[in-house]
Amino acid sequence: MEEEDVTSQFPAQNSHSENHDGGLPLFQVVVPEAVKRAENVMFTLQVTIVAEEKGLVLLRQYEDFEWLHHNLVTNNDIRGIIVPPLPVKPLSDPKSAESLSKKQMGDNTRIMRGDQFEHDCLSVQKYLELVLSHPTFGRDKMLSSFLTEQEAPVRARLNKGLITRLSSVIDTARKSNRKDVDEYYNTKRYFATEYSKAIKEASLNYNKLLVAQWRLSSSYSTVATELTSCTADRDEELVKLNRVLKALSDGCEDEATCYELKSAKGETTAGFFLDLFARYSDSLKDMHFRRVNDLIEYEAAEKALEKAKPPKRQAAEEAFETAKSNFERASENGKTELNRFTQIRLASSASFLSEYAELQVKISQDFYTQLLHSRRALDKIHL
C-alpha cells in the first residue's frame, strides 16, 4: 500500500457524535473522501490524537476495516456487548455498480448514478466513532495501531462468516426462542426482534422512496432534453413556441435537480440513520443470542455438577463456576449495553432526522423560488 506522508494539525470534525465518559475517545477521526484504486476503494482518514493534539493522514481500504473488526471481536471479551456493526463493503467493480444503477433507475434510464462514496465515507467514520467511544474497544491496542501507523496492519485470510454472523454457533430456533430466566431480558429480546423487523422494513421502504426520487429526476431531465431538441425555421410563431419550450425545459431541469438533491441528502441523513440501525439491530440480537448461549451452558454445567461422581466432581465444580461467571458477566454487561444502545439510538435519531428535515425544507424552498421564476417567464410570453 502507498504511504501518505502528510502529517498536519487539523481540528476535530466528528459529526453526529455523542458525548462519552471515561476519557474516550482517545482519537478523533474524519473520513473526508474515498477514491477507487484498481479494484479497491481507498479511504482517507484524518486522525487526531486527542492527548497530543497531533494530526495524521492515513489511507485504508475496506479489507483493513474488516481485519480490524475481526481482531476487536476476537481479542476482547464480548459477553453482553453490543458490537458496533461493520459498514457494508463499497461497490468497486464497475459492472456491479452499473448493474445496481440500472436495477434502481431502470434499464432505459439515461442517467447512471455515480459512486456513492460520500455515504461510504460517512459509514466508515461513524463505525470508527462508535468503536472509539465504546468502553470495551476504545482502548484496544490494535485500534490504536490502526489509527497511528502509516502502513495498514498485515491481514490474514478471514472466514467472512465470522464477521457477519457473530452468533452463528447459537443461531438455532431452540436457542433463539428459549424463555429467559430473567423477565427483563425476555422483554428486551422481544423488543430487539420487533425493532429489527421494523427498522429494516423502514430502511427498505425509505430506499424505495430515494430510488423513486432518482427516477423522477431522470424523467424530468429526459423531458427537459426533449423540449429543447426541436429545431425549426425562424418563423415568428415557432420562435414564440421555442421560447415556451425553453421555459418549460428550464422548469423541468429545476425539478430534476430538486429531486436529485432531495434523494442525495436524504440518503446521507434519514437513509443513513435507518441503514445504520438496521445493521445495529442485528448486533443487538447477537448480544441476546450469545447471552442465551451462556445461560444454556450455565444450566448444563449445573446439571452436570449435580450428577457428577466424586472423581469428577472437582472438574464439574470448576466448569460450573466458570459457566456461572460467564453468564453473570453477560447479564451485567448486557444491561449497561442496552442502556447505552438506547442513548446512542435516541441521540442519532435526533441528530440525523433533524438535519434531514432542515435540508429537505431548504431544498424545497430554494426550488420553489426557481419554479416561480420559470412560471413568470412563461407569463411574459405573449402568444
Side-chain angles (χ1 to χ4, degrees):
M1 182 184 297
E2 282 187 27
E3 282 194 8
E4 178 69 57
D5 57 358
V6 180
T7 302
S8 60
Q9 302 286 341
F10 43 79
Q13 304 175 29
N14 281 344
S15 60
H16 306 300
S17 60
E18 295 79 33
N19 294 323
H20 303 286
D21 299 326
L24 294 176
L26 302 178
F27 303 87
Q28 292 178 325
V29 183
V30 178
V31 185
E33 64 176 356
V35 295
K36 191 180 298 182
R37 184 172 295 176
E39 294 301 316
N40 298 315
V41 176
M42 303 299 297
F43 293 91
T44 299
L45 273 59
Q46 294 179 349
V47 182
T48 299
I49 305 173
V50 176
E52 302 176 14
E53 296 184 354
K54 179 182 179 182
L56 302 169
V57 177
L58 309 173
L59 290 178
R60 297 290 185 262
Q61 65 187 55
Y62 180 80
E63 288 74 14
D64 296 326
F65 296 103
E66 280 189 319
W67 180 241
L68 171 67
H69 188 81
H70 170 76
N71 282 277
L72 291 176
V73 170
T74 56
N75 295 338
N76 290 281
D77 184 359
I78 60 170
R79 285 186 175 86
I81 302 301
I82 304 172
V83 181
L86 186 70
V88 177
K89 184 175 182 178
L91 290 176
S92 57
D93 178 19
K95 290 185 178 180
S96 298
E98 181 181 356
S99 176
L100 177 62
S101 184
K102 287 186 175 181
K103 180 180 178 181
Q104 292 178 335
M105 304 290 289
D107 292 335
N108 297 325
T109 184
R110 297 183 182 181
I111 296 179
M112 291 289 109
R113 296 191 63 180
D115 296 323
Q116 301 177 45
F117 290 155
E118 181 182 2
H119 184 277
D120 296 323
C121 287
L122 185 58
S123 296
V124 168
Q125 178 172 318
K126 187 64 178 179
Y127 169 73
L128 290 173
E129 288 177 3
L130 291 169
V131 169
L132 284 165
S133 62
H134 197 284
T136 297
F137 307 117
R139 291 183 170 83
D140 188 277
K141 292 182 179 179
M142 175 73 179
L143 178 60
S144 177
S145 298
F146 184 87
L147 295 175
T148 55
E149 296 180 3
Q150 285 291 335
E151 285 291 334
V154 178
R155 304 187 304 268
R157 184 175 182 136
L158 291 177
N159 178 353
K160 298 300 180 67
L162 291 176
I163 294 177
T164 58
R165 296 291 304 219
L166 294 177
S167 63
S168 59
V169 296
I170 56 172
D171 189 24
T172 64
R174 179 176 66 85
K175 292 181 179 179
S176 62
N177 295 324
R178 188 188 186 286
K179 185 174 177 61
D180 205 291
V181 294
D182 188 336
E183 188 57 34
Y184 170 84
Y185 275 102
N186 276 324
T187 302
K188 293 299 182 181
R189 280 174 60 196
Y190 176 78
F191 168 81
T193 300
E194 295 304 309
Y195 175 73
S196 181
K197 292 177 184 176
I199 195 73
K200 287 179 179 179
E201 182 178 3
S203 180
L204 177 63
N205 289 333
Y206 186 74
N207 283 331
K208 290 180 181 178
L209 171 63
L210 294 179
V211 170
Q213 289 178 331
W214 273 102
R215 287 184 171 181
L216 273 173
S217 174
S218 174
S219 297
Y220 271 115
S221 292
T222 300
V223 172
T225 301
E226 295 297 332
L227 287 172
T228 56
S229 64
C230 302
T231 57
D233 296 332
R234 302 298 292 176
D235 179 88
E236 182 179 351
E237 296 301 320
L238 289 176
V239 169
K240 290 182 179 180
L241 177 60
N242 287 337
R243 290 174 60 195
V244 171
L245 294 179
K246 179 63 169 62
L248 291 174
S249 176
D250 290 343
C252 288
E253 281 292 355
D254 290 340
E255 279 292 279
T257 305
C258 178
Y259 278 114
E260 183 177 344
L261 271 176
K262 281 187 172 184
S263 181
K265 296 303 181 183
E267 188 172 30
T268 55
T269 51
F272 179 82
F273 166 76
L274 292 171
D275 173 68
L276 171 63
F277 281 90
R279 290 182 286 109
Y280 225 141
S281 70
D282 286 333
S283 298
L284 176 62
K285 290 193 297 181
D286 282 341
M287 184 277 286
H288 284 293
F289 289 155
R290 291 194 303 275
R291 182 183 166 279
V292 169
N293 192 57
D294 287 333
L295 171 59
I296 291 172
E297 291 181 356
Y298 171 40
E299 291 178 338
E302 186 176 32
K303 291 179 181 178
L305 177 59
E306 292 173 356
K307 297 178 181 179
K309 295 181 180 180
K312 296 183 179 180
R313 188 163 187 81
Q314 183 177 353
E317 287 178 350
E318 292 175 355
F320 170 74
E321 290 300 328
T322 299
K324 179 182 178 182
S325 176
N326 289 341
F327 175 65
E328 289 176 346
R329 186 160 64 253
S331 299
E332 182 180 357
N333 289 344
K335 290 183 179 181
T336 302
E337 283 286 289
L338 287 169
N339 289 333
R340 188 171 180 278
F341 173 79
T342 299
Q343 293 172 2
I344 292 174
R345 178 169 58 88
L346 295 178
S348 295
S349 65
S351 177
F352 282 108
L353 298 183
S354 62
E355 182 180 355
Y356 165 77
E358 291 170 2
L359 286 171
Q360 295 295 307
V361 169
K362 184 178 185 304
I363 292 169
S364 296
Q365 289 174 338
D366 290 345
F367 283 95
Y368 171 80
T369 302
Q370 292 189 22
L371 287 175
L372 188 60
H373 290 162
S374 296
R375 178 184 172 182
R376 287 175 178 172
L378 279 171
D379 290 341
K380 292 179 180 179
I381 298 175
H382 300 287
L383 297 178

